[in-house]
Amino acid sequence: MVSGGEYTLAAAGGLRVDLDDQEAALGAIRAAAGREGGFAAVVAPDDATVELAGRVAGALGLAGNPPEAARLSRRKDLARDRLAAAGVGIPEYRVLDLRRPLDLSRIAFPCVVKPVAMSGSRGVIRANDEAELAAAVGRARSIASGALDEEERSRLLVESFVPGVEVAVEGLVRDGRLEVLAVFDKPDPLDGPYFEESIYVTPSRLGAVAEARIVACVREAVAAFGLVSGPVHAEVRWHAGEAWLLEVAARTIGGECSKLLRFSAGHSLEEVVLAAALGRRVPTGLASGAAGVMMLPTPRPGTLRRVEGVLDALRVPGGEDVSIAAGAGTELLPLPEGSAYLGYVFARGETPELVEGALREATGRLRIVIAPMWRLSPAA
């Protein structure tokens, strides 16, 4: 198995390679496969590794996505062009080339500005008028300037804001066919100006008709991209009886959120994905009842001192776990510049309503203590 993280790709046997040099990484992995007698599967767990995983799969004859399909799943600008050509329901959009004089006229409001290759809502900003648009472009440009790829530094996506509720779809693609594992409601409004995730609850309460149209939209996107194997995580808006695709990523749900998915045979999401990569099938029906997660937002910039009230939160009926991902002393930065969540609250219950209530009550019992962050500059 080959898996990875933001900066390195780690393979069975302890191989570490630099994701910034994909040619060297591919060569090192092929050499390691020769020494080890081959690898059984390749899985990309995050956006940083999907293209390389596709190249590794092709080189070693393993199940995987074509690199171009994987690239479409992480490049919002290229994805929009492909989806528009395929007739998939997406917001109206324009791609801004920051290397040229910007023309921000003829853009309808409200709109949303996005870097073309960042995840977790980083750099995503709503604008309601020309002044807000100019400010959002400047801010998103600064955030995207840290990208290693020159194209990803020099492009922004501007698309129309689609109102309505947002849902997420977790799926698994086998031989080009999408198998839906879960559909999540996001009960908190995601109207901006920033788009920090909060609650995910499954099963969805939208109803069979809406769910069928949402899943059909995701299937169309999977086919348009040319994804053939592995996990997908999709974000969709449901508005005026129509499904509007926001993104399809060729990976599982991020962070620790996968812990909320518990399959009836006792398997985790990771086990289901690994089994599929190995060409094996395990039962993918979800356990009975409802489950949900609250992704704890970063309320303000500063240095995390502690999170109080964890034991009190765990006493909430239906509460299952509280996982604080950030340690004391961590420098915190909220969205849109930030990219990490403080932690996660998990709950289970008989109905989505009970789960949502448990998540809100448990989260309300937490007290996040943040100290100001002082930066010293040399005296003039």
Side-chain angles (χ1 to χ4, degrees):
M1 182 191 74
V2 180
S3 62
E6 185 177 357
Y7 300 108
T8 60
L9 194 74
L15 176 67
R16 298 184 69 84
V17 296
D18 184 359
L19 292 178
D20 298 335
D21 188 345
Q22 290 208 2
E23 291 300 328
L26 178 61
I29 293 168
R30 295 182 69 170
R35 293 193 303 271
E36 300 287 339
F39 297 131
V42 56
V43 176
D46 56 23
D47 292 326
T49 57
V50 292
E51 289 183 61
L52 179 57
R55 297 185 66 187
V56 171
L60 301 183
L62 301 172
N65 288 309
E68 175 61 21
R71 188 167 191 244
L72 287 170
S73 78
R74 59 171 293 274
R75 277 287 298 270
K76 295 178 176 64
D77 53 339
L78 304 179
R80 287 289 181 267
D81 291 343
R82 180 65 61 87
L83 293 169
V88 179
I90 58 172
E92 294 185 4
Y93 71 98
R94 280 176 57 183
V95 177
L96 302 181
D97 188 339
L98 302 177
R99 295 164 295 192
R100 300 177 180 177
L102 294 181
D103 177 10
L104 300 182
S105 63
R106 300 185 304 280
I107 293 178
F109 297 103
C111 64
V112 180
V113 179
K114 302 178 178 181
V116 299
M118 289 184 174
S119 58
S121 300
R122 189 176 181 211
V124 181
I125 306 170
R126 172 173 167 164
N128 298 307
D129 54 39
E130 292 182 3
E132 289 186 4
L133 176 59
V137 167
R139 198 167 177 183
R141 181 178 197 162
S142 176
I143 294 167
S145 66
L148 294 173
D149 184 273
E150 197 270 338
E151 264 201 349
E152 294 171 12
R153 291 194 303 271
S154 60
R155 289 185 169 196
L156 294 176
L157 182 71
V158 180
E159 63 186 23
S160 59
F161 171 76
V162 178
V165 297
E166 190 167 316
V167 298
V169 177
E170 197 73 11
L172 189 62
V173 181
R174 304 177 195 264
D175 298 322
R177 293 186 293 274
L178 175 68
E179 175 185 348
V180 175
L181 302 178
V183 179
F184 304 96
D185 285 341
K186 301 183 184 183
D188 284 340
L190 289 168
D191 294 332
Y194 316 122
F195 296 86
E196 193 162 45
E197 304 272 23
S198 56
I199 295 178
Y200 275 43
V201 176
T202 189
S204 172
R205 291 164 278 182
L206 281 180
V209 172
E211 188 168 320
R213 291 182 181 174
I214 288 166
V215 168
C217 181
V218 176
R219 284 203 168 98
E220 291 172 1
V222 166
F225 285 0
L227 298 171
V228 296
S229 178
V232 293
H233 178 78
E235 310 284 347
V236 182
R237 287 266 174 157
W238 177 250
H239 172 61
E242 297 293 339
W244 299 83
L245 190 88
L246 299 183
E247 70 171 52
V248 174
R251 54 164 171 78
T252 60
I253 191 171
E256 297 182 29
C257 295
S258 65
K259 289 166 59 175
L260 73 89
L261 291 179
R262 184 179 298 166
F263 296 92
S264 55
H267 298 294
S268 67
L269 176 61
E270 290 77 14
E271 288 172 326
V272 168
V273 169
L274 289 173
L278 292 166
R280 302 171 186 169
R281 284 189 175 269
V282 297
T284 55
L286 290 176
S288 60
V293 61
M294 164 70 86
M295 288 166 271
L296 296 175
T298 298
R300 60 185 180 278
T303 302
L304 178 65
R305 291 303 184 209
R306 60 190 177 276
V307 177
E308 301 174 343
V310 172
L311 292 179
D312 195 23
L314 289 171
R315 295 189 184 100
V316 172
E320 183 177 64
D321 189 23
V322 176
S323 174
I324 304 303
T330 301
E331 292 187 2
L332 303 177
L333 191 62
L335 284 175
E337 283 80 11
S339 60
Y341 291 92
L342 276 172
Y344 306 85
V345 178
F346 297 92
R348 294 186 186 276
E350 293 183 2
T351 67
E353 290 79 10
L354 289 173
V355 168
E356 182 183 339
L359 290 171
R360 294 193 188 281
E361 183 175 350
T363 302
R365 296 186 182 189
L366 298 175
R367 296 174 298 280
I368 300 167
V369 180
I370 299 175
M373 187 165 52
W374 303 101
R375 296 195 181 278
L376 301 179
S377 300

